[in-house]
Amino acid sequence: MEETTSTQTTSTQTTSTQIEEEIARREAAAEMEKTRAELEAKIAAFEREKLKYETAKTLGEKKLPVEFAEYLIAEDEEKTQARIKKFETEYLKAIEAAVNERLKGSAPPSGNGAPSKPSFMKTVFDNQIKRR
């Protein structure tokens, strides 16, 4: 009987050790998965900031408002460039329409508002004659 108890004790200890090892392995795997997820999140944030910088740089080079960079960022650089191109087209159309709207209306008066040289000289001459 003593052998059976000894075998059961050894078997229980082995099973207990195996369970502890399995728990430790699973905890390590969970910790590794958590660390991997955090790293992937940091990489994604870095990539987004990089894309935002590149978008702002491209907008600046094209003389477009850099403030729109945040709104033009897409999933990747190719889609972002497509958005920038579309934005540029629409933005320039809007500016052109606004300029054309302002230029409508009455024509400016002829001349630049300054008296012509002969009329200025005539006025001076007339004033001198009146003083005499």
Side-chain angles (χ1 to χ4, degrees):
M1 217 115 79
E2 204 171 289
E3 276 186 38
T4 308
T5 307
S6 172
T7 306
Q8 287 176 344
T9 305
T10 305
S11 176
T12 304
Q13 287 175 347
T14 304
T15 304
S16 179
T17 303
Q18 289 174 339
I19 291 172
E20 288 175 8
E21 288 173 356
E22 181 65 21
I23 290 171
R25 188 182 65 75
R26 288 184 182 185
E27 285 176 350
E31 184 65 31
M32 187 184 303
E33 182 62 29
K34 179 183 173 189
T35 303
R36 185 181 66 75
E38 289 173 354
L39 181 59
E40 286 177 355
K42 286 181 181 181
I43 290 171
F46 173 76
E47 290 297 326
R48 180 150 175 88
E49 284 299 314
K50 180 181 168 187
L51 194 54
K52 183 178 177 183
Y53 168 78
E54 291 298 325
T55 301
K57 181 180 170 187
T58 301
L59 289 172
E61 289 169 355
K62 293 181 178 245
K63 306 284 190 248
L64 296 170
V66 178
E67 294 80 16
F68 287 96
E70 186 72 32
Y71 305 107
L72 298 173
I73 296 174
E75 298 83 39
D76 59 24
E77 190 168 345
E78 185 178 314
K79 290 179 183 177
T80 300
Q81 291 301 322
R83 283 184 177 186
I84 291 171
K85 187 173 183 175
K86 178 73 173 168
F87 174 74
E88 179 181 24
T89 303
E90 295 302 317
Y91 185 76
L92 293 177
K93 274 189 209 175
I95 289 176
E96 185 176 349
V99 168
N100 289 339
E101 185 64 31
R102 282 198 176 186
L103 291 178
K104 282 183 182 178
S106 63
S110 60
N112 60 4
S116 64
K117 196 167 192 165
S119 70
F120 176 73
M121 294 306 285
K122 184 178 181 310
T123 305
V124 170
F125 180 72
D126 290 345
N127 284 337
Q128 285 181 353
I129 289 178
K130 288 180 187 176
R131 287 186 185 171
R132 288 186 187 185

